[in-house]
Amino acid sequence: MICVTKDLDDFLVKVKGYAEFVDNEIADRENDFRSMCFWNIYNRAVMTKEIVTFYTKAWENMDVPIDLGPEITERIVTVTRDMFVDTVSSIEKASKDCVNAYKLSGLKERSMVGKSYLYLRTIISSSVDMGYTTESQGQEWDDILLMRNLVTHNNSVADRSKVFEVEGLKISMRPNRMMKGPSNTFVVLTDRVTELFKEWLTTIDGVFG
């Protein structure tokens, strides 16, 4: 619990810094969609921190140990999982808006090859192909989007064998079993995907802004 709370505090500081950076260095209008993406993520993280703090205080006021095992962990995982899903959703929308805004990048045309709609996964794979992000970052994006899809569409049940690792975090996947990771799993994933998006945006804007 303490680890999750601290990770949320650290993430809030980081994403607020991203939002302010984009407001000051990239945004060219009030309520710019690029900075609003980070402010939306920040607000969602604030809500998550409030809920986690509420749970913590409630448990501390009970005459029971704070570590109640799987029941408490499941509550924390559920709350932070929803933050992760909402964050990726915000990033996906902002990424689509970016490829429409940065027309000279050619990303929209490349991402739409053989597709009827824009998808974050194809935007990122096209970015790797065109040199706007690295192959290693592209693999991180791919793994994180796999996690998002399994969480959203498969109730966190894995469909393959894989050990997923990001920022020192390890998540074990085995077919037809719930994915396993520490209680701060979705905070770490939220932090990393937000950082990846900030790096991608900064690169694209630096060339075509």
Side-chain angles (χ1 to χ4, degrees):
M1 174 60 61
I2 294 174
C3 179
V4 173
T5 303
K6 182 182 184 304
D7 286 349
L8 282 168
D9 283 337
D10 292 343
F11 176 62
L12 282 167
V13 172
K14 184 183 292 187
V15 72
K16 184 178 182 182
Y18 293 163
E20 292 173 340
F21 168 81
V22 176
D23 264 336
N24 295 327
E25 304 295 333
I26 294 178
D28 57 11
R29 71 202 78 176
E30 187 176 359
N31 296 324
D32 188 284
F33 69 89
R34 291 160 291 195
S35 56
M36 287 306 297
C37 175
F38 292 105
W39 285 120
N40 288 339
I41 294 169
Y42 174 80
N43 289 336
R44 188 63 176 81
V46 168
M47 292 172 58
T48 302
K49 171 69 184 305
E50 290 171 346
I51 295 171
V52 170
T53 300
F54 171 81
Y55 282 155
T56 304
K57 290 181 178 178
W59 295 325
E60 287 175 346
N61 290 333
M62 298 168 63
D63 189 22
V64 293
I66 187 62
D67 184 9
L68 298 181
E71 185 177 345
I72 287 180
T73 299
E74 178 61 25
R75 285 179 170 87
I76 296 303
V77 168
T78 297
V79 171
T80 55
R81 179 193 65 200
D82 291 346
M83 175 184 68
F84 168 64
V85 171
D86 283 356
T87 294
V88 177
S89 180
S90 294
I91 288 172
E92 183 153 27
K93 176 62 169 64
S95 299
K96 293 175 182 178
D97 289 339
C98 281
V99 299
N100 284 315
Y102 297 105
K103 298 183 185 299
L104 294 179
S105 70
L107 269 173
K108 182 174 182 178
E109 291 77 12
R110 184 65 171 264
S111 301
M112 290 292 291
V113 173
K115 307 289 183 183
S116 300
Y117 302 97
L118 277 170
Y119 297 99
L120 178 54
R121 188 180 295 277
T122 53
I123 290 172
I124 297 304
S125 63
S126 297
S127 295
V128 173
D129 293 341
M130 300 177 77
Y132 300 140
T133 192
T134 66
E135 289 189 9
S136 61
Q137 288 177 329
Q139 184 60 57
E140 284 189 89
W141 275 106
D142 194 58
D143 288 340
I144 290 172
L145 292 178
L146 168 63
M147 288 289 298
R148 189 276 303 266
N149 289 344
L150 290 175
V151 166
T152 304
H153 305 298
N154 218 40
N155 196 32
S156 299
V157 175
D159 60 359
R160 67 200 71 189
S161 293
K162 182 179 177 69
V163 176
F164 173 86
E165 185 170 357
V166 59
E167 301 293 287
L169 171 78
K170 289 187 178 181
I171 304 167
S172 298
M173 297 184 186
R174 296 182 65 183
N176 301 315
R177 294 190 181 185
M178 296 284 286
M179 294 180 288
K180 293 183 178 179
S183 58
N184 67 335
T185 291
F186 291 110
V187 182
V188 174
L189 291 176
T190 301
D191 187 329
R192 184 54 182 154
V193 75
T194 304
E195 184 176 35
L196 285 169
F197 176 65
K198 189 262 185 181
E199 292 173 356
W200 176 85
L201 172 61
T202 303
T203 298
I204 297 296
D205 187 77
V207 178
F208 302 103

